[in-house]
Amino acid sequence: MSANGRELSKDPQFLCGVALSVYQNSGDPNSNWAWYEKQKSVAADLQLSFSSGDTSGLDASQHNGTSVHTSWKNMGKSVIMNNERIGKSSDFWNNYEQDIRLAKELGSNAFRLSLEWSRIMPRKGQIDQAAVKRYHQMFDCIDKHNMEANVTLHWFVHPRWFDELGGWRRSENVRYYVEWAELAFKLWGSRSKLWATFNEPGVFAMCSYVAANHPPGMLMQFKDAGMVLLHMLRAHAAAYRAIKQMPGGKDVMVGLVHNVFWTEPKGTGIMYAHVRAACRAGNRVWGNETVMRYLQEGVFHHWLPPCRHLHWRDPLGKPGCDWFGINHYARGIVGLNLQPSSRGPRGVTEMGYPMYPPSLFRAIHWASKLGVPMYITENGTPLTEDTAERSEWITGYLEQVEKAVEEGYDVRGFMYWTLVDNFEWAFAYELKFGLYEFNPEWSDTSKRRLKEGSQVIKKHYAELPDKLGRLLANQKRSANSKSETEKESEDDRQEAKFLREEGFSKDEIQDALPEEDPVTAGTED
């Protein structure tokens, strides 16, 4: 049974809560990120050989002279913005009681958090019992406040020793992750009914091996990124099987969290031909359809620029997945100069994408293809100033969730990103997503201030669990009875309604609506 006495798999309820990465709010000296934050943006090797006489035609190894080999591993600026370090961040590790209580005061009936592999296994084969105890205390506190725990086994962070063994590039390392999943479930299997194997494996692969802004910081290594994504999805399948075979495994729901993102050109016509091509290529690399096809069929088929593919078929067939987590903030709009842009007067957020609630409805429609319960596991916006834009964001996106449930989509929860301003990976403390303000310069790491723009979430969280819970309990699955064309038409209606409210003319709305499904555009072979 769940913390509030209801069986999630048989008695749908709507969960409202927050998502919190323990690492981003606590740090950890034994993690891959602790190593990465010390790195610089440039590394170089130089080998010089000095020899007297004519050395033409000789290899360096044949020079009868002095050879000098020098390495510079710390050139350039820090890989972390402003040369910041996470430190203890807001110190959730020690302030968890306060922060869980603050989440409850917002009206949360759910709390999503990460189980940090590097905290529990700082050395290969070593278990930190004090860290195990601390997580039990966190679960006790979540239970005390009558909230449902939603746990994630890998949230961009793993032990440094795992990277030293080759990390996710090596298929043989999948077994170490499965051992971690088995250990975690043995320790805390009874503490949560919702388990996610990974948070955004596609983003991990992209940022780590293409964008070079996550460890190990590799640039444009598309094949490595594809192999990493494949190995993580294989690890999901293996961990799912392992958990289901353990005592209590059949009583929990095991899923995966994916960042549903895509880009669209700002305009149409021949002037935007290069933008359409760039968006289509970017969408293919992002891998929405790569992840979906693997979960649907057990087939991994991923495009590698410019014209190659990675293809692998799981001999065990379709992997298990009891629920699907949707991390969605917005879709990207790309201008003529291939830079982030927007349609209309609002402009873009500090993250580079415009506020556009209808994109969440479209993301839900796309994810529903998997045919399992869906949870919005992350949604939010970064705002340096405490303005009304945050309350507009919260209201706008929650209205889309409500509309989706009314339309028959099996959406069972919404987790706002995030509770407290935290260390946003390579952006350090610059992006302020939190409902509560935290400043790393404050001497008191327990200090919090609820932002004015966050207040509105209390109203929504007071109403939605019962309102949407009743809809879920009596749901006719009307979305499943509609044709794909009817579903896509509803996506367009949601977008048109929002654009009218934003002041767009009829012609401007027609130009803004996508000609093809933007989530999958460009993914066809």
Side-chain angles (χ1 to χ4, degrees):
M1 300 298 287
S2 64
N4 56 19
R6 300 177 73 180
E7 182 61 55
L8 293 182
S9 61
K10 298 176 182 178
D11 185 11
Q13 58 177 317
F14 194 83
L15 300 180
C16 291
V18 295
L20 183 145
S21 155
V22 174
Y23 174 80
Q24 288 177 262
N25 289 272
S26 306
D28 179 9
N30 298 302
S31 69
N32 56 331
W33 272 90
W35 169 84
Y36 181 67
E37 69 175 13
K38 300 172 186 175
Q39 306 309 302
K40 301 292 184 179
S41 58
V42 178
D45 283 289
L46 179 64
Q47 184 163 340
L48 298 174
S49 295
F50 302 93
S51 180
S52 60
D54 183 9
T55 61
S56 60
L58 294 179
D59 291 335
S61 61
Q62 296 174 302
H63 289 182
N64 295 316
T66 302
S67 179
V68 178
H69 181 202
T70 304
S71 296
W72 291 274
K73 299 298 185 185
N74 292 292
M75 298 175 63
K77 64 180 182 179
S78 170
V79 294
I80 306 296
M81 189 175 287
N82 302 325
N83 197 28
E84 289 270 16
R85 297 290 183 268
I86 189 171
K88 291 185 177 181
S89 189
S90 63
D91 200 13
F92 175 78
W93 195 253
N94 293 304
N95 294 323
Y96 68 92
E97 290 179 289
Q98 169 192 259
D99 288 343
I100 292 170
R101 173 178 55 79
L102 291 177
K104 184 63 178 180
E105 290 176 359
L106 294 173
S108 299
N109 62 2
F111 194 93
R112 180 179 178 227
L113 74 163
S114 58
L115 300 179
E116 296 295 345
W117 185 3
S118 54
R119 281 271 185 180
I120 305 304
M121 302 181 73
R123 306 286 181 272
K124 186 171 176 287
Q126 174 187 329
I127 299 174
D128 187 331
Q129 295 297 336
V132 171
K133 180 180 179 181
R134 177 49 51 93
Y135 268 110
H136 275 299
Q137 292 168 333
M138 292 178 190
F139 285 121
D140 288 343
C141 191
I142 292 171
D143 288 348
K144 173 185 172 183
H145 290 288
N146 198 31
M147 291 192 288
E148 192 74 49
N150 180 323
V151 300
T152 300
L153 288 164
H154 188 282
W155 197 320
F156 299 161
V157 182
H158 50 248
R160 175 64 184 152
W161 61 258
F162 182 72
D163 271 352
E164 292 171 348
L165 293 174
W168 290 108
R169 285 183 296 177
R170 301 176 67 89
S171 61
E172 56 266 37
N173 289 341
V174 168
R175 68 183 180 94
Y176 295 114
Y177 170 80
V178 176
E179 290 171 2
W180 155 237
E182 290 173 327
L183 173 64
F185 194 76
K186 179 181 178 181
L187 292 169
W188 305 296
S190 64
R191 309 308 303 263
S192 174
K193 292 296 182 182
L194 288 168
W195 287 71
T197 52
F198 289 95
N199 179 76
E200 302 182 350
V203 172
F204 178 91
M206 174 79 76
C207 289
S208 299
Y209 292 92
V210 176
N213 58 8
H214 280 209
M218 307 300 288
L219 182 65
M220 305 297 281
Q221 301 300 307
F222 290 102
K223 184 176 181 180
D224 277 346
M227 294 301 294
V228 164
L229 178 56
L230 169 59
H231 296 154
M232 295 179 92
L233 291 176
R234 290 176 63 182
H236 159 79
Y240 180 95
R241 291 191 297 268
I243 289 173
K244 291 296 181 176
Q245 291 169 3
M246 296 179 68
K250 291 181 172 58
D251 298 326
V252 303
M253 298 175 68
V254 181
L256 179 137
V257 173
H258 174 65
N259 187 307
V260 185
F261 178 77
W262 65 92
T263 55
E264 303 174 22
K266 181 176 181 177
T268 59
I270 193 170
M271 286 183 60
Y272 279 88
H274 66 295
V275 182
R276 285 194 297 275
C279 287
R280 291 170 71 88
N283 291 344
R284 294 184 81 179
V285 172
W286 188 261
N288 286 328
E289 285 299 286
T290 300
V291 172
M292 180 59 73
R293 186 175 177 187
Y294 182 77
L295 293 178
Q296 285 181 314
E297 306 173 22
V299 174
F300 182 88
H301 191 75
H302 187 62
W303 181 64
L304 302 177
C307 55
R308 295 182 298 160
H309 289 88
L310 279 176
H311 188 87
W312 183 81
R313 181 181 294 273
D314 194 325
L316 297 177
K318 175 183 175 180
C321 188
D322 300 328
W323 64 278
F324 190 73
I326 301 170
N327 284 2
H328 180 78
Y329 295 83
R331 86 284 193 254
I333 297 297
V334 183
L336 278 171
N337 59 356
L338 299 182
Q339 293 298 310
S341 186
S342 67
R343 301 186 184 114
R346 281 186 179 269
V348 298
T349 67
E350 294 173 30
M351 195 68 179
Y353 44 67
M355 182 174 80
Y356 195 69
S359 65
L360 179 56
F361 190 93
R362 194 175 288 276
I364 291 167
H365 167 199
W366 173 81
S368 70
K369 294 189 297 184
L370 193 57
V372 298
M374 296 169 284
Y375 291 83
I376 311 304
T377 37
E378 286 181 33
N379 176 269
T381 186
L383 292 169
T384 300
E385 302 298 325
D386 185 6
T387 67
E389 188 175 341
R390 190 181 305 277
S391 60
E392 291 178 32
W393 182 287
I394 292 169
T395 296
Y397 281 85
L398 281 174
E399 285 176 350
Q400 294 295 315
V401 173
E402 187 172 347
K403 176 65 175 175
V405 176
E406 290 173 351
E407 286 290 310
Y409 288 102
D410 192 5
V411 182
R412 300 190 185 184
F414 178 93
M415 308 291 149
Y416 189 85
W417 179 262
T418 181
L419 180 67
V420 180
D421 291 334
N422 63 17
F423 189 81
E424 286 292 339
W425 310 116
F427 294 102
Y429 293 102
E430 288 298 301
L431 297 177
K432 303 183 185 305
F433 281 90
L435 296 167
Y436 284 87
E437 179 185 3
F438 165 75
N439 190 324
E441 296 181 1
W442 292 342
S443 59
D444 182 2
T445 59
S446 67
K447 184 178 178 181
R448 310 281 189 267
R449 183 188 69 83
L450 182 63
K451 299 172 185 177
E452 189 61 33
S454 305
Q455 296 280 356
V456 70
I457 207 167
K458 294 181 179 180
K459 172 182 178 293
H460 293 293
Y461 279 14
E463 299 172 353
L464 290 179
D466 287 342
K467 182 178 181 180
L468 298 189
R470 286 193 298 270
L471 284 174
L472 286 167
N474 299 307
Q475 203 173 68
K476 303 296 186 181
R477 302 293 190 266
S478 59
N480 295 333
S481 65
K482 293 181 179 179
S483 68
E484 197 62 26
T485 300
E486 289 173 318
K487 292 180 184 179
E488 289 172 2
S489 295
E490 184 58 38
D491 289 344
D492 290 344
R493 281 195 293 273
Q494 288 299 308
E495 293 203 29
K497 177 176 181 291
F498 177 79
L499 293 170
R500 281 196 299 273
E501 292 170 352
E502 289 287 291
F504 280 57
S505 69
K506 184 177 180 180
D507 288 342
E508 289 172 331
I509 292 173
Q510 190 62 38
D511 288 341
L513 294 179
E515 297 177 351
E516 57 185 341
D517 181 2
V519 188
T520 60
T523 59
E524 310 85 357
D525 288 333

